[in-house]
Amino acid sequence: MSNGPANELLQSHNLRKTGCRQGILDILGQSGEALTENEIKEKLDNRHDRTTFYRTFKTLLENHIIHKIIIDNQLIKYALNPDSEIENDHVHFYCKECEKLVCIEESSSMDINLPRGFKAAETEIIVKGTCNTCSEK
Amino acid sequence: MSNGPANELLQSHNLRKTGCRQGILDILGQSGEALTENEIKEKLDNRHDRTTFYRTFKTLLENHIIHKIIIDNQLIKYALNPDSEIENDHVHFYCKECEKLVCIEESSSMDINLPRGFKAAETEIIVKGTCNTCSEK
DNA sequence: TTTATTTTTGCAACATAGTTGCAAAAAATT
DNA sequence: AATTTTTTGCAACTATGTTGCAAAAATAAA
């Protein structure tokens, strides 16, 4: 396990290669979608302590290796941040049927008129609806 | 206290006029901005039980009388939903300095390209930056 | 490759957020 | 004023998240 992208990611951020970090990054790397803490935890067979999990998420978030998306009712999901970039305009799509959450690669134009004096730094967009699979049914 | 908009709102939704509901609506009506549960609770002098508070928020949310905005790290705020409308495109501005959250009245054009097969129902936008007051400093 | 240093882990204890069942209290109805 | 319906407050509970600290693991140094 874990001799691929996970280790390189950790190394490039000067983070130690611990089991929990590698595990989370492996899981997120394999799955193309955002996952909840519990989904990740299960796939790791509950191998790690709750505390370690939270601390690991915190570290990965601080290093912009993953990001955290919160939808509506506290549904929190995590996803790999491809190039550990600090993104300013992120679009997420949340399927109300299958509850899948995917990151939408840009190519969207946006123009939000803010009141005088307001300055935007980041914009977070969550589009809710039905995904391709669920639309076909 | 409470013989104005709060009561009318409740009445039009067939909800009983209880102290907690009137209180929350009064507070949100007076303040032009979104407030956290605790901010509201304090202004009401901790007059109500925790449980009652949660249940009241739930009721008001279900009736679209208020809405709930979650920013970043679990910061949850509530705001009056002016006409109890079920809005599809809502823009919120969150000031990173003073932590104020305001609803932006539309007049923004948006065009997000979703992948083939994806259908959007609602879009939630949170713009983060500095508000007019904080920009002047 | 063994030792020393630094970081991370797991545990216990705690803090906050949110929910449920149920009897008592308050609204609305008659 | 009496009855019905909804809401409240309490206790108990679950989920989520944090902190301090000794033991363990990962890296660096000898």
Side-chain angles (χ1 to χ4, degrees), chain B residues 1-2 6-7 10 15-29 37 40-60 65-66 80:
Chain B
M1 200 208 267
S2 228
N7 278 348
L10 291 172
L15 294 174
R16 298 192 171 192
K17 298 163 202 153
T18 70
C20 192
R21 287 173 190 167
Q22 293 169 328
I24 292 178
L25 292 179
D26 283 347
I27 299 292
L28 285 180
E37 182 199 317
I40 300 170
K41 209 182 267 171
E42 274 176 34
K43 296 204 186 207
L44 288 176
D45 221 25
N46 291 76
R47 219 173 309 148
H48 307 278
D49 184 72
R50 248 157 41 79
T51 316
T52 305
F53 240 79
Y54 287 120
R55 283 194 277 227
T56 303
F57 279 126
K58 204 180 165 195
T59 305
L60 296 177
I65 296 175
I66 61 173
L80 261 193

Side-chain angles (χ1 to χ4, degrees), chain A residues 30-42:
Chain A
Q30 283 155 30
S31 143
E33 51 169 312
L35 302 173
T36 64
E37 181 198 318
N38 280 331
E39 287 168 335
I40 300 170
K41 209 183 267 174
E42 275 177 32

Side-chain angles (χ1 to χ4, degrees), chain A residues 67-70 87-90 92 110 112 114 118-126, chain B residues 69-75 91-97 99-102 104 124-131 135:
Chain A
H67 47 231
K68 186 177 185 175
I69 312 111
I70 303 179
E87 302 186 50
N88 290 343
D89 282 28
H90 212 94
H92 292 287
M110 230 188 0
I112 298 167
L114 296 176
F118 284 66
K119 284 174 194 157
E122 306 153 43
T123 307
E124 191 186 294
I125 301 174
I126 298 178
Chain B
I69 312 111
I70 303 178
I71 311 138
D72 263 3
N73 311 317
Q74 240 87 330
L75 181 56
V91 180
H92 293 287
F93 187 92
Y94 174 67
C95 179
K96 289 173 157 192
E97 288 195 40
E99 293 191 310
K100 221 168 252 178
L101 192 128
V102 282
I104 303 293
E124 191 185 294
I125 301 174
I126 299 178
V127 182
K128 291 176 227 168
T130 44
C131 73
S135 293

Side-chain angles (χ1 to χ4, degrees), chain A residues 70 72 74 76 93 96 107-113 117-122 124-130 135, chain B residues 70 72 74 76 96 107-113 117 119-122 124-130 132 135:
Chain A
I70 303 179
D72 262 4
Q74 239 86 328
I76 298 169
F93 187 91
K96 289 173 158 191
S107 90
S108 51
S109 73
M110 230 188 0
D111 188 26
I112 298 167
N113 278 337
F118 284 66
K119 284 174 194 157
E122 306 153 43
E124 191 186 294
I125 301 174
I126 298 178
V127 182
K128 292 177 227 169
T130 44
S135 292
Chain B
I70 303 178
D72 263 3
Q74 240 87 330
I76 298 168
K96 289 173 157 192
S107 90
S108 52
S109 73
M110 229 190 358
D111 188 26
I112 298 167
N113 279 339
K119 283 172 193 160
E122 306 153 43
E124 191 185 294
I125 301 174
I126 299 178
V127 182
K128 291 176 227 168
T130 44
N132 52 352
S135 293

Side-chain angles (χ1 to χ4, degrees), chain A residues 70-137:
Chain A
I70 303 179
I71 310 138
D72 262 4
N73 313 316
Q74 239 86 328
L75 180 56
I76 298 169
K77 299 213 173 192
Y78 298 91
L80 261 192
N81 191 4
D83 307 301
S84 303
E85 274 171 19
I86 305 168
E87 302 186 50
N88 290 343
D89 282 28
H90 212 94
V91 180
H92 292 287
F93 187 91
Y94 174 68
C95 179
K96 289 173 158 191
E97 288 195 39
C98 65
E99 294 190 310
K100 220 168 251 178
L101 191 129
V102 282
C103 301
I104 302 294
E105 305 300 332
E106 290 304 312
S107 90
S108 51
S109 73
M110 230 188 0
D111 188 26
I112 298 167
N113 278 337
L114 296 176
R116 175 184 293 279
F118 284 66
K119 284 174 194 157
E122 306 153 43
T123 307
E124 191 186 294
I125 301 174
I126 298 178
V127 182
K128 292 177 227 169
T130 44
C131 72
N132 52 351
T133 319
C134 292
S135 292
E136 282 170 13
K137 288 174 197 161

